[in-house]
Amino acid sequence: MARYAQAAVIFVAQDGFKLAPARVRAYSFAKLVNQRGIRAEVLSFFDHLGAAEQGGPVAGLAEEEKLRLNLAAFEVLSQNPRALLYVQKAGYHAIACLMAAARNGNRIVLDYDDYDLGNQPFRRIEPWLPSLKPEEFLGRFAARAQACVASSQSILDLLTPFNPNTHLVHTVADRDVFNPDRRGEPRRLFGDSVNILWCGDVWGDIPMKDIVFGVDAFALVPSRIRGKARFHIIGFGRAWEELKRRLRQRHPEMDNLVFHEHIPPGEFGAVLTEMDIGVLPYADNAFNASKSPTKMFEYMLAKVAICATPVGEAVHCLEDGTSILLGKELEDFSARLATLIDDDGKRQAVAVAAYERALADYTLDAVGDRLTAIIRQAMAPETPSGPVGVPLETFMRQALDRRLAMPSREVALARGDLKAAAAAPDLAAVDPRRWSAPLLALLDWPGAARSEGVPEETLARVRDAALRHRNARRLRPRLRIAATERPVGPPCLGKLAASEDWEDPAWFAWAQRFKTNCGTFHVSAADNIPDFEALRDDDLLNHVYSYFKRSRGTWERVHLLYGLDRLGLLGGTARMLAVSTAVDGVYLALTEWVSHVDVLDIGPGAAARAGCAAAGELDTWLLKPRLFHRDRITIHHGQPEAAGQRSGDAPWNAVLLLQDAIFDPNADGLLAWADERLADGGVLAVMGRLRLDGGTDVAGLGPDLAGEGLAALFARHTGFELLGGFDASLSDATLDRLVRTGAPGAENPHLVALTGDTLHTSVVWFCRKTGPTVPGGWTRLATALRA
């Protein structure tokens, strides 16, 4: 206790020395400050107060235990009213710091190094104290702090609107531990292969998906080159055992994929002396884009060449092709990795360039003076806080007539849209996709001005702009389909894309079942989290909102599976043919519920892919990050003959046309061929596009086919009948999700697109084989569909 009472700065950390955020941004930063004449101490909730968990598993701590730990910390901190409290993260431990500051007037610096707005440290208390909600808490905490220290450019951009006194200090490495001094010594730990490394805490979905991407990229490296290397994964954490199981299932033949249990931080310098390539395969999401990856700076100082995706600080700190190799997509990343494995000179040159860059700017010594200056400047009175807001989610749910709770992710996006609109100099130039029903509900909330810090007159201007410029309002006049109401009951089998499907209980249940990404790792009873059911339900709600409600591709796939389930085809015995023009995760997902899936690749480059597969290289059509059963799937590249005549096999029970395959120039011959091999009573399921106006810039069904016209075509030309009716309703919320093809953001989630002058959306429909198709029938149908 005495050492804390005498400290000028107390670094308060939620985690312990084992984890990089606390190790660098509390312990190492305290060391730097001490070296420069300011007495500093570290108070770690894990190391010093006995918290049972740190990192991701903190979610497992009961809220009562978190409050107890905060009271224990408050007892320590309140004894020193003079100390500056340097708070590392805005987690549950920050309450003690705010209590001490409220009692004694301590100044506070907020050090924020991870995007963790999705976490809810006090889930059960939030309804009573809405200011504890992560988005509100971070904003208010940052605004009250005398200064903020951000670990990355993305977090700097996040915090600066709350507090202009925000500074960028990366989570850099210590040269005393990480250096290339022993690089020429014999390798005793990991051998003399080209050693590739991923290391860290496998705490859940995000790192799991990243690691799978990296391993898939390694598997895609030509075998001649891949054989020179070994891919090492050194990990620990909540999802560690599950990661190992899934990767072994996914790549059972890969004998140069090696797992190692956790190695203490103090021994990691010796590990890196035997590594050649460090991978940072980060997906482009808010968490990864905000990371200041300690391992990147450690790689740089140890002369380990880096292969990364162009996400976050790798882009800001290093130069592609010189001090790092960047690859965005799987094939690109694999090619860069292959270069570093195969080209010793290039690998060494990249490592040396990164090492020199690190020596100049990215060591503890390099940031010490700047950090100390920030702390000295922060030793001044803090500004008072603003008024507390009121709850929002209930208001939005009622305003939008929602059956399910408002996902916190959706509320956060609406708030982000309001912030962007309020700061825009020209509201007419704001991206129209920001104008949405959730934003309008937020604008109508009585507490918006106080909670969001936006003047009432600005709210009025934004509301007026939203009503005038909303996509749904602008697009309605050009539609050439009937403005029908959504039918009552569960979603129809045949229908247009609809953002509101996700809230239907039957469809929502399928959306939850479609969690087949091999990096998805939801909370469960095994995590020993109090009230885990509430946490799980909110997790699922956010997951479904983020990945299904707003995305054309995922809506198509879930609705396809939903329809197949309603038709009784997912009981485990059906055989299916999936025809696609591009890689698609749905045929992989199907292996969980059917006996066998034949996949026919009719896309560009199918012949070249067939040659690679025949040569023994890994088939890229198996590399979507999905859990699947490899023994239940066969990929065929080329035209129908590539899938064989199947004379000795049972017929298919369903034929699925994915990725607009119905509009392929050879669709008539393909359909006739598949029809002959489809069982009587079998199902034809089609995913495609429907043109909503008179445009012809894309292949798709004409507006006149959005209903009975489609059923009539099948009845006239084929032995198939349309199943389950057809829902051609199109909601405002669906129209709001418009993108213009080729424009910035077009790859982001969307349900409606504008290509050239053609407005179009997704459509899924199902037909059942009731009899033979007359000769030429499929040609006539294909011609009519393309008209």
Side-chain angles (χ1 to χ4, degrees):
M1 184 72 77
R3 60 192 179 93
Y4 294 114
Q6 297 169 12
V9 181
I10 301 176
F11 287 78
V12 186
Q14 169 183 286
D15 303 325
F17 185 82
K18 178 181 178 181
L19 299 186
R23 184 172 68 252
V24 176
R25 306 190 71 85
Y27 286 95
S28 294
F29 281 8
K31 172 185 171 183
L32 290 176
V33 172
N34 272 308
Q35 290 172 346
R36 286 157 177 79
I38 301 177
R39 181 163 182 172
E41 296 290 346
V42 176
L43 179 64
S44 163
F45 275 45
F46 184 80
D47 291 340
H48 303 128
L49 298 179
E53 302 289 357
Q54 60 179 333
V58 159
L61 288 178
E63 292 182 20
E64 294 85 351
E65 176 65 4
K66 292 175 181 175
L67 293 174
R68 186 193 69 78
L69 290 165
N70 271 290
L71 289 174
F74 170 69
E75 184 177 353
V76 175
L77 298 175
S78 62
Q79 302 304 311
N80 187 341
R82 303 173 306 282
L84 174 75
L85 304 182
Y86 189 102
V87 188
Q88 205 282 303
K89 294 187 183 297
Y92 79 90
H93 65 305
I95 301 299
C97 303
L98 295 178
M99 291 169 61
R103 175 175 177 173
N104 290 329
N106 299 78
R107 282 87 64 195
I108 287 179
V109 170
L110 168 61
D111 181 286
Y112 200 59
D113 73 310
D114 277 326
Y115 184 92
D116 56 5
L117 294 185
N119 297 337
Q120 292 179 276
F122 297 103
R123 177 182 300 273
R124 287 185 292 159
I125 303 176
E126 281 182 9
W128 305 96
L129 295 173
S131 58
L132 291 178
K133 295 177 181 178
E135 296 86 356
E136 292 193 28
F137 185 80
L138 176 63
R140 296 181 187 281
F141 192 8
R144 286 197 60 168
Q146 189 61 30
C148 296
V149 179
S151 66
S152 67
Q153 184 63 50
S154 179
I155 290 181
L156 182 72
D157 295 339
L158 173 68
L159 294 182
T160 300
F162 299 120
N163 190 329
N165 189 25
T166 298
H167 309 268
L168 176 61
V169 179
H170 290 100
T171 313
V172 293
D174 189 341
R175 286 183 64 195
D176 293 340
V177 179
F178 300 97
N179 55 68
D181 295 349
R182 297 171 54 191
R183 180 153 288 278
E185 297 178 5
R187 295 184 172 185
R188 298 183 176 88
L189 298 174
F190 300 99
D192 293 326
S193 298
V194 177
N195 288 321
I196 304 168
L197 176 65
W198 187 97
C199 58
D201 181 359
V202 189
W203 50 264
D205 283 13
I206 291 177
M208 284 184 71
K209 293 174 184 176
D210 293 342
I211 298 165
V212 170
F213 178 94
V215 174
D216 282 352
F218 181 59
L220 197 56
V221 170
S223 54
R224 174 189 64 82
I225 300 174
R226 190 173 67 248
K228 301 178 181 181
R230 287 167 67 85
F231 197 119
H232 301 272
I233 302 178
I234 303 175
F236 60 94
R238 170 176 168 260
W240 173 236
E241 294 301 324
E242 183 64 13
L243 170 75
K244 290 189 288 185
R245 185 189 71 80
R246 294 184 183 189
L247 282 177
R248 285 168 179 148
Q249 176 187 359
R250 188 171 178 81
H251 297 287
E253 75 295 338
M254 192 180 292
D255 57 4
N256 52 351
L257 175 64
V258 188
F259 298 98
H260 306 271
E261 302 306 310
H262 175 66
I263 296 175
E267 301 175 19
F268 224 81
V271 171
L272 292 190
T273 62
E274 297 191 14
M275 292 296 158
D276 300 288
I277 303 168
V279 291
L280 303 173
Y282 295 138
D284 192 2
N285 53 55
F287 179 83
N288 283 338
S290 301
K291 283 180 68 66
S292 180
T294 308
K295 65 188 72 173
M296 180 178 79
F297 301 111
E298 293 172 350
Y299 295 159
M300 293 166 68
L301 283 175
K303 286 190 179 178
V304 176
I306 303 172
C307 184
T309 50
V311 175
E313 296 311 284
V315 175
H316 299 297
C317 298
L318 295 167
E319 182 181 353
D320 186 24
T322 302
S323 51
I324 192 171
L325 294 192
L326 299 176
K328 182 178 182 181
E329 305 298 341
L330 183 66
E331 289 84 356
D332 296 335
F333 192 93
S334 179
R336 305 305 186 274
L337 188 58
T339 296
L340 290 176
I341 295 170
D342 198 38
D343 189 337
D344 295 345
K346 181 65 172 178
R347 184 173 66 249
Q348 293 168 9
V350 167
V352 168
Y355 173 70
E356 293 173 350
R357 184 79 177 89
L359 289 181
D361 293 307
Y362 302 123
T363 68
L364 284 174
D365 288 339
V367 303
D369 290 342
R370 183 154 46 94
L371 177 68
T372 304
I374 294 168
I375 288 175
R376 289 190 186 280
Q377 183 270 335
M379 290 179 174
E382 62 181 4
T383 56
S385 62
V388 176
V390 295
L392 169 63
E393 287 78 0
T394 301
F395 180 90
M396 292 183 70
R397 180 181 180 183
Q398 293 172 348
L400 298 171
D401 195 25
R402 292 283 179 83
R403 286 177 285 182
L404 299 176
M406 289 295 298
S408 56
R409 167 73 172 156
E410 188 173 18
V411 175
L413 287 171
R415 285 184 141 141
D417 290 340
L418 173 56
K419 183 185 298 184
D426 181 7
L427 288 173
V430 170
D431 182 349
R433 292 202 302 167
R434 291 195 181 276
W435 311 128
S436 65
L439 174 61
L440 289 169
L442 171 58
L443 289 166
D444 289 337
W445 178 45
R450 285 190 304 158
S451 176
E452 308 309 308
V454 179
E456 289 287 358
E457 57 270 23
T458 302
L459 291 177
R461 288 192 299 106
V462 172
R463 184 184 295 108
D464 178 65
L467 292 171
R468 285 188 292 114
H469 299 300
R470 185 179 179 184
N471 274 327
R473 182 185 182 196
R474 297 188 302 107
L475 297 178
R476 285 259 173 230
R478 65 185 296 172
L479 299 182
R480 290 182 54 185
I481 62 172
T484 60
E485 293 292 328
R486 181 181 176 86
V488 296
C492 295
L493 295 181
K495 71 192 311 293
L496 302 184
S499 68
E500 62 270 27
D501 278 344
W502 75 292
E503 205 175 5
D504 183 275
W507 203 93
F508 184 73
W510 250 110
Q512 293 184 42
R513 288 184 67 186
F514 193 65
K515 301 185 305 296
T516 55
N517 190 304
C518 56
T520 300
F521 191 70
H522 286 296
V523 66
S524 69
D527 293 308
N528 296 315
I529 296 175
D531 301 325
F532 88 91
E533 294 93 345
L535 181 62
R536 176 201 60 205
D537 292 345
D538 193 58
D539 186 25
L540 291 172
L541 196 64
N542 277 303
H543 182 83
V544 171
Y545 174 77
S546 295
Y547 296 104
F548 296 91
K549 180 173 184 278
R550 301 176 298 137
S551 168
R552 171 206 169 193
T554 44
W555 178 88
E556 289 177 336
R557 286 148 186 78
V558 174
H559 195 74
L560 179 73
L561 291 171
Y562 162 77
L564 292 173
D565 188 38
R566 283 187 57 185
L567 294 172
L569 287 166
L570 299 183
T573 60
R575 303 177 65 87
M576 296 187 182
L577 169 70
V579 183
S580 187
T581 60
V583 176
D584 197 311
V586 73
Y587 53 71
L588 298 176
L590 282 169
T591 62
E592 183 177 346
W593 302 296
V594 305
S595 65
H596 192 79
V597 181
D598 286 293
V599 181
L600 180 58
D601 165 17
I602 62 169
R609 287 189 289 274
C612 290
E617 300 298 344
L618 189 63
D619 196 325
T620 56
W621 277 49
L622 293 174
L623 286 182
K624 269 284 186 179
R626 298 287 184 269
L627 293 171
F628 68 99
H629 298 274
R630 189 163 295 188
D631 58 337
R632 300 180 190 173
I633 191 168
T634 306
I635 310 291
H636 312 275
H637 299 283
Q639 289 303 311
E641 57 272 14
Q645 295 303 305
R646 305 189 54 78
S647 58
D649 290 332
W652 289 306
N653 304 104
V655 174
L656 320 177
L657 271 64
L658 315 177
Q659 300 274 7
D660 295 313
I662 188 67
F663 304 119
D664 185 90
N666 300 310
D668 54 344
L670 175 64
L671 286 165
W673 172 84
D675 184 6
E676 293 178 4
R677 294 154 182 83
L678 181 64
D680 292 338
V683 169
L684 173 67
V686 183
M687 292 162 38
R689 282 181 293 212
L690 183 133
R691 302 191 300 269
L692 298 170
D693 53 13
T696 58
D697 296 292
V698 296
L701 301 179
D704 56 313
L705 296 182
E708 294 303 318
L710 187 61
L713 274 184
F714 274 91
R716 183 182 313 135
H717 298 300
T718 75
F720 286 69
E721 65 175 4
L722 199 67
L723 292 174
F726 194 88
D727 174 11
S729 62
L730 197 63
S731 67
D732 282 355
T734 304
L735 288 170
D736 281 337
R737 299 307 309 172
L738 170 82
V739 299
R740 184 181 294 275
T741 302
E747 296 179 357
N748 292 336
H750 69 278
L751 290 173
V752 177
L754 184 63
T755 302
D757 290 324
T758 303
L759 190 65
H760 55 92
T761 191
S762 298
V763 59
V764 173
W765 72 92
F766 295 82
C767 306
R768 188 179 299 283
K769 184 177 181 178
T770 58
T773 296
V774 298
W778 288 112
T779 299
R780 290 189 290 276
L781 175 75
T783 301
L785 292 179
R786 289 195 292 264

